Amino acid sequence: MADDALTPFTAFKNFYSTSLLIFSIVVIMALIAEEQTNLSSKSSPAVAYFAIWGGVIWLTMVEGTQGSFVGLAPVNPELYKDSHPIAYMCNKVTVNGDALDRYLMGRQFMVCMIVFLINISGGPIEGVEIWGFGSAIKNIFFTTGLAMILFTAMVGQLNSQVNASLCMLDYCNNYFAVFTMWVALIIEFSGLLHSSYLIQMLVVKLSGQTQPESMVVQRTGAETLFFWFRCLMSLTVLGYCFAVTLVALFNEQTTMWEGVPPIVALLIFFILLSVVGMLEGMQIAFFAVAKLQPSERGESYFAKKTCDLLFKGGGNNLPGFMIGRQLSVVSCMFFVARVTSVKLAEGDDNIFGVSDGLQELFNTGLLGALMLTIVGSIAWQLVASAFPLAFLANPVTYVFLRICLLFEAIGICSGAWVLAGIHATLAGFQRDEVYIGTAEERAMKNMNDDSARLGVGPGRIVPVPAFAHNAPNSLKKLMEDDDTVAGFVLGLSQKDVTEAA
C-alpha cells in the first residue's frame, strides 16, 4: 500500500511520523500504567487499557467499513457471493432501500462516540508528570493532546481507510464488520439522530430541488407516526444536551483548562463546532464541484482561488486535503471533548438535580458527541450537498484548505501509510480486482457497476470516497490501469477517475 516511488523526502516523512507515533503510543500507555489519565485515575489501568484499545480497534472497523460498504455498493454482489460470503451478506443489507444512508448516519455518531471514549481512556489528567519531561514536551504532547491525536488519527482512522479503500472485500468479510454495521443501523433506528432529518427536509426545501422518486422513503401511517415521534424525541434530547453543556460552561464545571473565562469557553465551543462543520461540508462541496467545468464553479473570487488550488496539478491537492482534514477533525473532536465533558467540584450539586447515574453520563462528554454529530457534522454535510458553490465562495474555505494542505505537506501523519502496509501484510489483504476483476472486465461479463445505488442527491449525506486516491503514485497507477477501487467515485463525480492520474 505504500508509495511506489519512495523519494528521500517521503522516506524522511514516513520515518519521523512513525517515530512520533511510536513515542505517542509509549507515553500514553505509560501514563495509563501510572494512573495519570482520566479513566485510569478513577478506575484502574486495566480498565483504561481495555477501553482505549477496544475503542481504537473498533474505530478502525467503523472507518474501514464505510469505505468498504460505499465502495462495494455499485458492484454486483453475485461476483463475490462465494469468495466473500460475509461481505456479500453486508452488501445485501446496505443496498436495500435507504439502508446505506441510515448506516452512514449511525456511523457518524459512532465515530464521535468512540473518539470521546478514547479521550476519556488516554487523555492525561492535569499536572501530569512522567519520566522527567520538561514543560515544553508536556505542553506539546499532553496539554495540546498531540499524542492522543496522532495515536487516534493514524492507528484508528487513516490506516484503515487506506486499506479498506483498496481491499474492500477482504476488509469487511468478517463478523466484526457485521456487528459494526448493525450497531450503526440500530443507533439510527433509535431516533437519537432523527433531528438530522428535519435539517434534511429544510435543506431540500431551501435548495428548491426535489429528491428523485427512487430516493423517497415510502412509509405507512404507523411508520410515519413513529418517524415523527423520533424526530421530536431527538430534538428534545439535542436541546437538553445544549442546556446541560451551557450550564456547565457558565458554571466552570467542565474539563476546560483552568483560567479560561466562561464566555471564552462558550465561544471556543461554538467555534469548534463551526470548524468541524466547515471541514465536513468542504469535503462534500469539493467532490460535488469536481464534476463541474471551471466556468460552472461560480464567479466568486474565493471560489476561483479555492478551485485553482484544489485542482492544481491534475487534482492532486484533493487527496492531500482529505488527509489534512482528517487530522484537523480529530483534533477538534478532542478539544470538543475537553470543553463539553462535565467535571463537578467536590460538594457541587448535580446539574439540574439529576440522579448520580445520569450525572456520570454527563461527565463522560457523550452529550458533546451527540451535539457534534448532529450540529457539527451531519447538518453541515447536508447543507453542503445542496449548496456546494456557497461553500466555495466562503473565504474561510480557502483558509482551511491551505491549513489542511500544510498538515499533509509536513507529513505528520505519513506513518499511517507504514502502518497500513504492515496491517495489510499481516492480514493477507488482496486488492479487490484479484477477486472481482476490473470495471471493464466486469462489464464484459454483463456485470456492470451500478452507481445509482449510492443515492446521491440534495440534502443527503453524500457517501464521500475514502482514501482510495490518497496514495499519490501507486494508487494513481491503479486508477490508470483500472478503476475497480474507485467505482463509487464515479457515482459522485460522474467523471472518469483516471483523469486524476
Side-chain angles (χ1 to χ4, degrees), residues 254-274:
T254 71
T255 55
M256 190 67 178
W257 293 283
E258 290 185 7
V260 178
I263 189 64
V264 175
L266 182 64
L267 289 175
I268 292 175
F269 171 59
F270 283 108
I271 288 173
L272 288 173
L273 286 182
S274 300

Side-chain angles (χ1 to χ4, degrees), residues 115-116 119 140 142-146 149 249 254-257 265 268-269 272-273 276 327-341 372:
V115 169
F116 274 55
N119 177 66
I140 292 173
F142 304 143
T143 304
T144 65
L146 180 62
I149 291 168
L249 284 172
T254 71
T255 55
M256 190 67 178
W257 293 283
I268 292 175
F269 171 59
L272 288 173
L273 286 182
V276 174
L327 180 63
S328 302
V329 169
V330 173
S331 302
C332 289
M333 284 184 178
F334 277 111
F335 287 126
V336 171
R338 175 177 284 274
V339 173
T340 60
S341 297
L372 184 63

Side-chain angles (χ1 to χ4, degrees), residues 40-62:
S40 64
S41 63
K42 296 177 181 177
S43 55
S44 71
V47 173
Y49 281 132
F50 177 81
I52 194 169
W53 283 108
V56 167
I57 292 171
W58 198 9
L59 184 60
T60 64
M61 186 55 65
V62 172

Side-chain angles (χ1 to χ4, degrees), residues 34 90 193 218 227 281 351-352 354 418 443 445:
E34 297 189 10
C90 291
L193 307 174
Q218 302 296 330
F227 170 80
I351 295 179
F352 296 147
V354 301
V418 178
K445 297 178 182 178

Side-chain angles (χ1 to χ4, degrees), residues 152-378:
T152 305
M154 283 195 270
V155 180
Q157 296 181 298
L158 290 174
N159 106 84
S160 59
Q161 291 172 348
V162 169
N163 283 334
S165 62
L166 295 169
C167 312
M168 297 178 286
L169 286 169
D170 284 344
Y171 206 97
C172 69
N173 193 51
N174 55 78
Y175 286 105
F176 193 13
V178 176
F179 172 74
T180 301
M181 175 190 70
W182 281 114
V183 170
L185 291 172
I186 289 171
I187 289 174
E188 188 279 337
F189 180 79
S190 71
L192 269 178
L193 307 174
H194 267 52
S195 51
S196 300
Y197 290 118
L198 301 177
I199 301 172
Q200 180 189 57
M201 295 173 188
L202 178 62
V203 168
V204 173
K205 184 72 174 178
L206 292 175
S207 71
Q209 305 176 57
T210 57
Q211 294 278 19
E213 189 173 334
S214 60
M215 299 182 188
V216 178
V217 179
Q218 302 296 330
R219 301 185 181 92
T220 64
E223 290 172 339
T224 300
L225 182 63
F226 185 47
F227 170 80
W228 284 106
F229 167 76
R230 287 180 291 175
C231 287
L232 179 61
M233 178 198 70
S234 175
L235 202 59
T236 303
V237 171
L238 180 62
Y240 190 75
C241 289
F242 268 103
V244 170
T245 301
L246 294 179
V247 167
L249 284 172
F250 278 113
N251 292 340
E252 299 186 43
Q253 295 175 319
T254 71
T255 55
M256 190 67 178
W257 293 283
E258 290 185 7
V260 178
I263 189 64
V264 175
L266 182 64
L267 289 175
I268 292 175
F269 171 59
F270 283 108
I271 288 173
L272 288 173
L273 286 182
S274 300
V275 170
V276 174
M278 281 295 299
L279 292 169
E280 294 284 7
M282 283 167 63
Q283 65 169 342
I284 303 298
F286 289 168
F287 280 99
V289 301
K291 65 183 178 181
L292 300 179
Q293 296 295 326
S295 60
E296 299 175 314
R297 293 170 182 165
E299 296 298 324
S300 166
Y301 171 77
F302 281 102
K304 291 180 178 179
K305 283 186 68 67
T306 299
C307 288
D308 288 344
L309 177 60
L310 188 65
F311 301 111
K312 180 182 180 181
N316 294 335
N317 281 342
L318 182 55
F321 159 75
M322 294 296 288
I323 294 175
R325 171 203 160 275
Q326 188 72 61
L327 180 63
S328 302
V329 169
V330 173
S331 302
C332 289
M333 284 184 178
F334 277 111
F335 287 126
V336 171
R338 175 177 284 274
V339 173
T340 60
S341 297
V342 178
K343 181 182 179 181
L344 299 182
E346 188 174 347
D348 284 353
D349 294 331
N350 292 346
I351 295 179
F352 296 147
V354 301
S355 65
D356 291 341
L358 190 55
Q359 183 61 52
E360 283 299 318
L361 177 64
F362 295 169
N363 297 347
T364 64
L366 290 180
L367 301 188
L370 182 63
M371 290 185 291
L372 184 63
T373 301
I374 298 175
V375 180
S377 181
I378 294 176

Side-chain angles (χ1 to χ4, degrees), residues 92-112:
K92 296 298 287 184
V93 173
T94 55
V95 300
N96 183 29
D98 64 340
L100 184 58
D101 283 348
R102 292 187 287 110
Y103 157 77
L104 290 172
M105 184 173 290
R107 172 215 161 266
Q108 195 73 40
F109 178 66
M110 289 175 69
V111 171
C112 293

